[in-house]
């Protein structure tokens, strides 16, 4: 799902600064975005607060095996698209 994408840690901040919910045409990562959004919604529906740490732990193991920067960049895209909100605690 993340194949062909090369995410770096500095991309996270860049993605978060895009305004207006602009959505790039990144077909390779659309599935990854949907998987993360599904996980967030599933946990939320069960009354469980979702953290970046939880998402990192879930998507780094099989069957996903994604690397941390890719996960965080995908979350940043979801924030940019106004599909999820983040807060710092």
């Amino acid at each position: 799902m993340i194949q062909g994408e090369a995410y770096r840690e500095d991309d996270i901040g860049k993605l978060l600064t895009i305004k207006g919910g602009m959505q790039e045409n990144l077909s390779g990562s659309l599935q990854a975005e949907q998987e993360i959004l599904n996980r967030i919604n599933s946990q939320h529906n069960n009354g469980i607060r979702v953290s970046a740490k939880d998402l990192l732990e879930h998507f780094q193991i099989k069957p996903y095996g994604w690397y941390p920067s890719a996960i965080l960049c995908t979350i940043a895209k979801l924030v940019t698209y106004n599909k999820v909100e983040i807060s710092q605690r």
Side-chain angles (χ1 to χ4, degrees), residues 14-51:
K14 292 175 190 172
L15 288 166
L16 288 173
T17 59
I18 298 173
K19 299 294 180 197
M22 295 172 57
Q23 188 164 353
E24 299 174 41
N25 186 14
L26 299 172
S27 58
S29 64
L30 292 177
Q31 277 187 307
E33 293 164 16
Q34 192 59 52
E35 284 291 320
I36 290 178
L37 189 57
N38 288 345
R39 175 70 178 179
I40 291 169
N41 288 332
S42 171
Q43 296 292 80
H44 179 73
N45 291 339
N46 289 325
I48 300 169
R49 181 171 288 170
V50 182
S51 70

Side-chain angles (χ1 to χ4, degrees), residues 15 21 47 50 56-57 59-60 65 83 86:
L15 288 166
V50 182
L56 284 167
E57 288 174 354
F59 288 103
Q60 285 185 80
K83 292 186 177 184
I86 57 173

